[in-house]
Amino acid sequence: MSDHDILSDAEREALSAVMLEPDLPPQRVLIVDDDKDARELLAEILGLDGIRCMTADSGEAAWNLLKSSSSIGLLITDLRMAPSNGLELIRQVRESTRAALPIIIMSGDAEAPDVIDAMHLSVVDFLLKPIDSLKLAKLVKRELGMAS
């Protein structure tokens, strides 16, 4: 090693190894809806745009995925689900270590108090069904930091 080298040979090898590592997988979107067709269609639409999705059929299933997977970078949840609703799931997320997670709510029959409650929980957006898939894909890509 010469006097003007900043890195040692070991540091240079370590840097080369890191540079050759594959990129981390893109952040995934967790879609929560108790309507199987709706959540699968949404996952398929976003998938066509190169967005990797996971799905859950309830707030409880979504919460378990959120606790076990650090690759989830965005949550899209239906407002009206049984037995728990989307607002309960969002409150749970906001009171957890995942509090900063961006969240989009969707609903087929939202009333003003629901929208107000959602906005108080710092959601990215509140979309009415049927979902505008182009708007949603653009919103998701923006939140995940993907080029649109």
Side-chain angles (χ1 to χ4, degrees):
M1 184 168 102
S2 68
D3 291 339
H4 57 80
D5 276 347
I6 296 172
L7 301 176
S8 69
D9 289 340
E11 289 169 327
R12 198 177 311 282
E13 279 182 41
L15 184 61
S16 292
V18 169
M19 301 286 276
L20 294 174
E21 297 243 331
D23 290 336
L24 293 172
Q27 293 290 300
R28 294 175 187 261
V29 174
L30 176 57
I31 299 168
V32 189
D33 197 323
D34 57 355
D35 179 333
K36 181 177 188 279
D37 293 337
R39 72 175 178 270
E40 287 181 357
L41 179 62
L42 204 51
E44 192 174 316
I45 289 168
L46 292 175
L48 292 172
D49 238 320
I51 299 164
R52 298 173 66 182
C53 299
M54 300 169 80
T55 61
D57 62 358
S58 68
E60 185 180 354
W63 181 241
N64 289 333
L65 283 170
L66 283 166
K67 288 190 298 186
S68 65
S69 175
S70 61
S71 69
I72 298 169
L74 175 68
L75 174 66
I76 300 175
T77 184
D78 190 18
L79 179 65
R80 305 238 186 270
M81 296 183 290
S84 66
N85 67 38
L87 288 176
E88 290 172 22
L89 172 61
I90 295 166
R91 284 187 189 102
Q92 200 170 17
V93 170
R94 291 295 181 242
E95 293 169 1
S96 75
T97 57
R98 302 295 305 267
L101 184 72
I103 300 173
I104 297 171
I105 297 181
M106 54 189 179
S107 180
D109 61 340
E111 295 173 10
D114 296 327
V115 177
I116 292 167
D117 286 348
M119 292 307 165
H120 283 295
L121 292 170
S122 302
V123 297
V124 173
D125 209 338
F126 195 115
L127 304 175
L128 292 174
K129 292 179 180 179
I131 302 294
D132 176 339
S133 56
L134 292 176
K135 178 181 179 183
L136 180 64
K138 187 175 181 181
L139 198 56
V140 168
K141 286 181 173 183
R142 185 189 80 203
E143 289 302 315
L144 293 179
M146 298 170 69
S148 43

